[in-house]
Structure formats: C-alpha cells, structure tokens
C-alpha cells in the first residue's frame, strides 16, 4: 500500500496532522472530532491494493470499478455514503504538438477524501501544499478539497488553451506563407492539430454538467456556502470551452483556406503548363506542315525560305510568350 498511497494525512481545524496507520481508526477518529477529515491520495492502484481502502470507507462498487479501470468521461455521481467525481486534467507537449489527458477520481464523504490518479497530468502535490498554507480554506473540509482540485484542473485548461492558440497562430502563418518544402505537409499538420483539440474537448465539455450541479444544485457532502466558488470554476470552464470551440473553428477555416490555396496554385500550374504547351505547339505545327513530302509547297524553291520559316516560328513563340506574360499565365 505504501507504493500506491502517495500521501495520507488528517486535517483538523485546517491544520495537518499525521493520521493513524489503521484507516478505520483514522476515519473513526476524524468522525469523532467533528471538524477533521482524512485525505488519502493514491496513484494507479490495482484492484487488490484498492480493496482495503474501498472496504474501510464503504465506497460503492460501481464507483470503485470506474476508479480502477479509468478511461471515464468527466462526471459526478451521488451514492449513499459518498460522492464520486471524475476529472480529466490535460498536459500539452509543445515540442510534439500533443495533448495528453490524465484522469483524476475523487471520493468525497462526510469525513474523508480519497483521490485516485491515473496518468501524469494530474499531480495533486501542489494543490495539497497550497491548501495546507490556507487553513481557513481547509476548515471547510472535503468540500474545500473538491473545490481546490477542480479549480486547479480548470485553470490549467485555460493555460493549455493559450498554448494551443500560440501554436495555431504559427500554423496560420505557415498556411498563408509562400509555398516551400516545409509547407507541403501543412494539411496533415492541421488535421493532427484538430485531433489534439478534439482530445482536449473530450476532457472539458462533459465537465460542464457536473460543475453546474455543484454550482447551482444541491449535492450531498458539498456545503451550500461553497456554491459561489463552484460558480467561479464553472465560469472558467465555460471560458475554456469557448477557447476550444474557437480553436476548432479557426482550424477548420485554416484547413479550408489551405485547400483553396492549393486549388489556386494548381490552377496557376495548369495555366503555365498550358502556356508552354501552346508555345511548343506552334513551331511543331509549322514544322509538321513543312515536313510533309509534297512538291508544290510555298517557299520551297526560295533561298531564304528556310530561315524565313524559322524566324516566323520564333516570332510566333515570342508573341505568345508576351501575351501569356501580360495575362499572368507565366
């Protein structure tokens, strides 16, 4: 259990104190005191490792199954003895242009908080340290932990959205830049970027309903006086979702603009090819006529006939070149 329990502490009147080694004794002590609660943080526990904790805290079997298997959508579920919340923190690798979503499950009870973390994008050490320096917040018990964790996750959404926005601006500049070897795979980059935005949206969009329930509804194990704080989180989440929707629209517009530019460039190429083909066709036609073996053809008996025909072909080619140049085909 020491391998998967990242941290375990009891908080009494907003101050940290070491919890007894036995979980049932620690929970009984927290309930007896009244103003204390137990916070256990776990990282990717197995079924056997989590079984002891789930039995001691009376966690619902369905919630335990979700916490162990992961790959859940953000949600909020109410059970008889606990509240189960799923969050999906995200990380953005700027070098690889990749969004990675972790998973964070919270069990909230009358005198306990159990957090189960999957992936690398959901570290709670910083949140716990910040709360321990704000005892006036921790005095509100498990509700304060749920708010602080939700607030940290949603605020990081906005930071990731800002990083994506900066990379999107670079991608837009590439779309409208002159065609080079580096811009030939622009469509693939736009499509890949769009997939990352979709992965981001899977983490943020489903969280709107749970945050609205916490902000405007009545949820067990969550104090009513915390609603204004959850409304603030919900506002930030709405802002993050608006960011993401804007990114998705801009990516669609950038892809459409890129494809339109590709069509224009193809038309330019076809015009150039057609112009050169026309200039090659004229002397070919003249030479083809004079290549026919007939006796009675004009200029065959004249000394200057051959150079005159060459001058004629060159003049026609020059005239076509000037005409195509004026019209922008070359």
């Amino acid at each position: 259990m020491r391998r998967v329990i990242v941290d375990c502490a009891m908080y009494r009147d907003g101050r940290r104190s070491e919890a007894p080694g036995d979980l049932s004794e620690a929970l009984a002590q927290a309930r007896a005191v009244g103003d204390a609660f137990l916070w256990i943080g776990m990282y990717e526990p197995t079924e056997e490792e989590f079984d002891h904790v789930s039995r001691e805290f009376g966690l619902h079997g369905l919630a335990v199954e979700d916490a162990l298997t992961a790959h859940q959508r953000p949600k909020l579920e109410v059970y008889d003895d606990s509240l189960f919340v799923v969050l999906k923190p995200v990380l953005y690798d700027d070098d690889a242009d990749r969004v990675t979503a972790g998973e964070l499950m919270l069990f909230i009870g009358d005198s306990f908080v159990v957090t189960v973390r999957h992936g690398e994008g959901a570290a709670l050490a910083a949140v716990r340290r910040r709360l321990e320096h704000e005892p006036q917040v921790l005095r509100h018990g498990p509700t304060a932990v749920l708010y602080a964790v939700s607030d940290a996750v949603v605020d990081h959404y906005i930071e990731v959205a800002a990083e994506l926005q900066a990379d999107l601006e670079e991608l837009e500049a590439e779309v409208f830049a002159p065609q080079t070897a580096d811009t030939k795979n622009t469509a693939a980059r736009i499509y890949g970027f769009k997939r990352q935005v979709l992965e981001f949206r899977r983490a943020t969009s489903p969280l709107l309903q749970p945050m609205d329930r916490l902000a405007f509804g009545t949820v067990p194990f969550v104090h009513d006086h915390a609603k204004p704080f959850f409304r603030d989180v919900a506002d930030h989440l709405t802002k993050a979702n608006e960011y993401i929707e804007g990114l998705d629209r801009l990516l669609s517009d950038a892809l459409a603009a890129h494809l339109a530019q590709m069509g224009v460039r193809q038309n330019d190429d076809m015009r150039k090819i057609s112009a050169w083909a026309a200039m090659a066709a004229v002397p070919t036609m003249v030479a083809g006529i004079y290549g026919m073996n007939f006796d009675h053809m004009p200029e065959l008996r004249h000394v200057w006939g051959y150079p005159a025909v060459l001058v004629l072909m060159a003049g026609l080619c020059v005239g076509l070149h000037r005409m195509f140049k004026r019209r922008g085909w070359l």
Side-chain angles (χ1 to χ4, degrees):
M1 290 301 294
R2 290 297 178 184
R3 183 172 64 86
V4 296
I5 293 182
V6 179
D7 200 350
C8 177
M10 182 182 293
Y11 296 90
R12 181 178 300 172
D13 193 29
R15 303 290 181 180
R16 177 180 178 127
S17 61
E18 293 304 318
D22 185 74
L23 292 181
S24 58
E25 179 185 347
L27 183 59
Q29 189 177 114
R31 286 172 173 167
V33 173
D35 63 346
F37 70 96
L38 192 65
W39 183 0
I40 298 177
M42 307 185 73
Y43 178 70
E44 296 184 354
T46 64
E47 183 177 354
E48 293 77 13
E49 292 166 337
F50 196 57
D51 180 65
H52 177 64
V53 175
S54 62
R55 282 188 287 103
E56 292 294 340
F57 290 93
L59 306 179
H60 196 279
L62 292 176
V64 170
E65 181 181 353
D66 288 346
L68 291 173
T69 56
H71 304 294
Q72 303 295 316
R73 299 174 73 250
K75 61 181 178 179
L76 184 153
E77 294 181 353
V78 178
Y79 296 99
D80 293 335
D81 298 323
S82 63
L83 182 70
F84 181 59
V85 180
V86 178
L87 304 172
K88 292 183 76 70
V90 297
L91 288 175
Y92 180 56
D93 186 348
D94 191 27
D95 295 331
D97 292 338
R98 183 180 179 186
V99 173
T100 305
E103 292 194 44
L104 181 60
M105 288 81 168
L106 294 92
F107 295 88
I108 308 295
D110 55 349
S111 298
F112 67 87
V113 177
V114 177
T115 58
V116 180
R117 180 165 62 94
H118 293 269
E120 299 300 326
L124 294 178
V127 177
R128 189 187 286 257
R129 285 195 300 269
R130 180 166 60 83
L131 280 175
E132 289 175 354
H133 285 87
E134 298 177 351
Q136 70 280 6
V137 177
L138 268 178
R139 288 192 185 98
H140 297 290
T143 301
V145 177
L146 177 59
Y147 160 70
V149 172
S150 303
D151 185 57
V153 170
V154 172
D155 283 349
H156 192 60
Y157 286 162
I158 297 177
E159 295 174 9
V160 172
E163 293 178 6
L164 286 171
Q165 178 68 39
D167 283 356
L168 177 57
E169 290 174 359
E170 295 179 4
L171 192 57
E172 287 178 327
E174 181 180 312
V175 168
F176 295 102
Q179 187 176 17
T180 62
D182 294 334
T183 61
K184 289 184 178 179
N185 295 323
T186 301
R189 285 195 60 197
I190 295 174
Y191 184 74
F193 205 106
K194 200 172 180 66
R195 287 185 62 87
Q196 301 310 311
V197 171
L198 176 61
E199 182 70 21
F200 195 3
R201 176 176 282 178
R202 287 176 182 155
T204 61
S205 294
L207 190 57
L208 281 171
Q209 184 178 4
M211 282 299 116
D212 284 343
R213 288 180 64 186
L214 290 169
F216 303 103
T218 300
V219 180
F221 310 108
V222 177
H223 299 305
D224 288 340
H225 60 72
K227 288 182 179 180
F229 298 95
F230 284 110
R231 281 199 294 269
D232 182 64
V233 177
D235 289 342
H236 290 178
L237 181 60
T238 300
K239 181 180 179 181
N241 275 289
E242 290 174 352
Y243 257 125
I244 298 166
E245 290 175 4
L247 289 172
D248 190 54
R249 287 194 299 268
L250 286 173
L251 281 168
S252 298
D253 293 343
L255 182 59
H258 176 68
L259 294 177
Q261 282 190 327
M262 292 296 293
V264 171
R265 288 168 182 165
Q266 288 177 349
N267 288 337
D268 289 341
D269 293 340
M270 288 302 300
R271 287 191 299 180
K272 291 179 181 178
I273 293 171
S274 300
W276 287 110
M279 287 188 289
V282 169
T284 301
M285 179 188 67
V286 176
I289 293 173
Y290 277 89
M292 292 186 293
N293 297 318
F294 292 103
D295 290 333
H296 303 288
M297 294 185 69
E299 314 299 337
L300 288 179
R301 303 296 179 182
H302 291 275
V303 176
W304 297 102
Y306 179 71
V309 172
L310 292 179
V311 171
L312 173 65
M313 289 190 291
L316 290 173
C317 290
V318 171
L320 288 172
H321 186 274
R322 294 184 63 182
M323 182 183 70
F324 290 139
K325 197 75 172 178
R326 277 199 308 270
R327 295 185 178 182
W329 285 36
L330 292 174

